[in-house]
Amino acid sequence: MDVEGLTIASTELCAAAVNQLTGSQDLFTIDARRAAAAFASTKHLRIAGQRRDAFDACSGFYQTSDGWIRTHANYPHHRRALLQALRIDRPERLAESLLMVEAGDVVELITACGGIAAEVRTRAQWQATAMGQAAAAGPWVEFAMSEVSQGRLWKYSQDLAKPLRGLRVLDFTRVIAGPTSSRTLAMLGADVLRVDPPQMPELQGQYIETGFGKRSTEIDLRDLRQANTVHELLSEADVVLLGYRPGALAAHELRTQQLRERYPNLIIVELCAWGDTGPYAKRRGFDSIVQAACGIADIYRDAEGRPGALPVQALDHATGYGMAAAVVSLAAARRTQGMTGHARFSLVRTATALLEQPLPTADIEPLGQPAVRKINSTFGELTYAPPALSCGGLALDYAGPPAPYGTDEPVWR
């Protein structure tokens, strides 16, 4: 599949948005090889010289009595749900247990127990489902615009290398796509404060990979006082990034419509796995799970018929760069047109966009090892792939190492 085309298109979209904001022609550009390395950032990250395995032993493709499924058990609570659904106490029994059940039935069982799995389908099978048809409808990103009103409005920075300096971004995203977006915004100068629930800490390697240049705090939304702190932050924020399932934060007055009514100048960019329509709209999902469901894993089967995956988690990264581009474009619209807006993304729409592209015809060229960079941090020395973007011909770098997880005060600088 044309993964390179998706990589270049999404990163160039981000560069184009910054050029529009700054009023420059081609000040910000992207390098295709650095973009490829950035999309494979998990493979290149070293923490104190050690590589962190991104996937749990229970995450992967498993054969059932009538097909294949893909599981996702990287988080401890998802791993527990998977094992409980199958009534087993040891991961070693997982493959054997799944051989005795049908793919569709066990996916529903795992999902009902709070776990995450998807049946591996062909593209034709996916297109015949109600969810596949819902995923094929509409644009890659949906925008809703409204006029700004009285209240905080960010003032554009004249610092060309950091044009988002002073832009306040409250980041309610996890894993890769949303954090890739906020890492990019931080690189461009934004003050990004990431918020995580203390009862579900992020995986360390995952947090470090996308945490460059951001601050990190823990807030328990179940506690009224801490929930009020979030709304205090929102009242002074310019942007909020939302990466939870549709409706997951509604009880805490963080549903999109609630935010638009309460904070009319706020730029809202949200992401979910499956979109807000169709039978999977309320389900949890990840890049690898969407690939399995929509036909990509089937396209990448090996010679023995085992399903496969894209060479990188391209759905996550491409969506993340798209989210960053949307924030920058909406910030420009708010400054020059007196308009603010809400943008909505989903991993499944990105998958659909990739599936709709023609197959690449260029010869394959080995990428080789990227020119990695190193930085000291509280986690030890970090080795990482540089960003895809350049400014004035000079390659940009991320805005400092990741902050220690959850240790920052929930206040704006």
Side-chain angles (χ1 to χ4, degrees):
M1 302 183 71
D2 193 8
V3 179
E4 181 180 15
L6 181 68
T7 300
I8 293 173
S10 57
T11 50
E12 283 187 337
L13 188 67
C14 190
V18 186
N19 284 328
Q20 181 190 41
L21 174 72
T22 58
S24 57
Q25 186 67 29
D26 293 306
L27 181 66
F28 287 84
T29 57
I30 69 108
D31 178 89
R33 287 186 176 273
R34 284 204 308 273
F39 271 53
S41 55
T42 301
K43 299 177 182 178
H44 303 305
L45 179 68
R46 300 293 183 272
I47 305 169
Q50 300 296 311
R51 179 176 175 176
R52 298 295 175 93
D53 192 349
F55 284 89
D56 184 86
C58 291
S59 296
F61 293 106
Y62 288 92
Q63 199 162 12
T64 67
S65 64
D66 64 343
W68 290 84
I69 68 168
R70 176 141 195 173
T71 60
H72 194 288
N74 294 357
Y75 288 96
H77 56 290
H78 293 153
R79 190 174 190 263
R80 287 193 298 270
L82 172 64
L83 299 180
Q84 288 169 3
L86 295 165
R87 298 183 179 179
I88 56 177
D89 54 2
R90 299 195 314 275
E92 296 81 10
R93 298 180 55 197
L94 183 57
E96 177 187 3
S97 299
L98 287 169
L99 278 172
M100 297 184 290
V101 293
E102 294 184 358
D105 291 342
V106 76
V107 164
E108 295 303 318
L109 176 61
I110 293 168
T111 302
C113 291
I116 302 175
E119 185 177 356
V120 174
R121 293 185 175 94
T122 66
R123 187 182 179 193
Q125 289 171 334
W126 172 247
Q127 290 173 321
T129 67
M131 189 62 240
Q133 292 161 15
W140 178 51
V141 53
E142 297 179 10
F143 285 95
M145 305 297 291
S146 59
E147 293 184 1
V148 299
S149 63
Q150 291 184 345
R152 174 181 167 83
L153 285 175
W154 169 70
K155 294 181 180 179
Y156 166 63
S157 171
Q158 296 296 327
D159 183 347
L160 287 182
K162 301 286 184 184
L164 299 185
R165 190 180 299 279
L167 189 78
R168 293 173 175 174
V169 180
L170 197 59
D171 182 11
F172 283 96
T173 68
R174 292 163 67 87
V175 198
I176 297 176
T180 293
S181 169
S182 53
R183 179 183 63 184
T184 304
L185 298 173
M187 178 184 71
L188 295 169
D191 178 9
V192 179
L193 179 61
R194 171 171 168 157
V195 179
D196 283 281
Q199 68 273 21
M200 288 192 299
E202 181 63 287
L203 303 174
Q204 187 188 64
Q206 209 158 253
Y207 168 75
I208 292 172
E209 179 195 344
T210 56
F212 289 84
K214 296 183 272 189
R215 295 183 296 129
S216 167
T217 192
E218 290 185 322
I219 294 179
D220 189 346
L221 291 172
R222 301 170 300 181
D223 179 274
L224 182 59
R225 181 180 60 82
Q226 294 186 55
N228 287 336
T229 297
V230 166
H231 286 283
E232 291 171 6
L233 289 167
L234 284 167
S235 68
E236 298 179 346
D238 299 292
V239 181
V240 63
L241 302 177
L242 302 173
Y244 291 82
R245 288 175 296 139
L249 300 178
H252 308 293
E253 298 184 13
L254 295 174
R255 193 169 62 240
T256 303
Q257 189 57 39
Q258 293 170 317
L259 291 172
R260 292 183 70 181
E261 292 173 357
R262 189 166 178 176
Y263 310 105
N265 289 347
L266 189 65
I267 293 168
I268 304 168
V269 178
E270 64 175 323
L271 157 78
C272 63
W274 304 105
D276 63 342
T277 60
Y280 292 4
K282 301 293 184 182
R283 289 192 180 187
R284 302 170 178 87
F286 295 93
D287 182 312
S288 59
I289 295 297
V290 173
Q291 287 189 45
C294 71
I296 293 175
D298 175 71
I299 291 171
Y300 279 84
R301 285 182 188 267
D302 63 19
E304 285 73 41
R306 182 181 181 84
L310 297 173
V312 293
Q313 291 187 264
L315 309 184
D316 268 329
H317 288 278
T319 307
Y321 281 102
M323 292 172 68
V327 169
V328 174
S329 294
L330 289 169
R334 200 173 66 171
R335 185 171 71 90
T336 62
Q337 301 173 30
M339 301 290 289
T340 190
H342 161 222
R344 181 185 290 122
F345 291 82
S346 70
L347 297 181
V348 75
R349 280 298 297 136
T350 302
T352 301
L354 177 60
L355 284 161
E356 290 173 348
Q357 295 305 305
L359 297 178
T361 56
D363 293 335
I364 295 175
E365 296 182 26
L367 283 171
Q369 288 298 314
V372 296
R373 296 176 180 173
K374 298 179 184 290
I375 192 171
N376 292 321
S377 76
T378 57
F379 304 98
E381 184 183 66
L382 303 180
T383 302
Y384 61 97
L389 271 69
S390 296
C391 177
L394 299 176
L396 293 175
D397 201 355
Y398 295 122
Y405 182 79
T407 57
D408 286 295
E409 290 295 318
V411 294
W412 295 115
R413 286 171 174 159

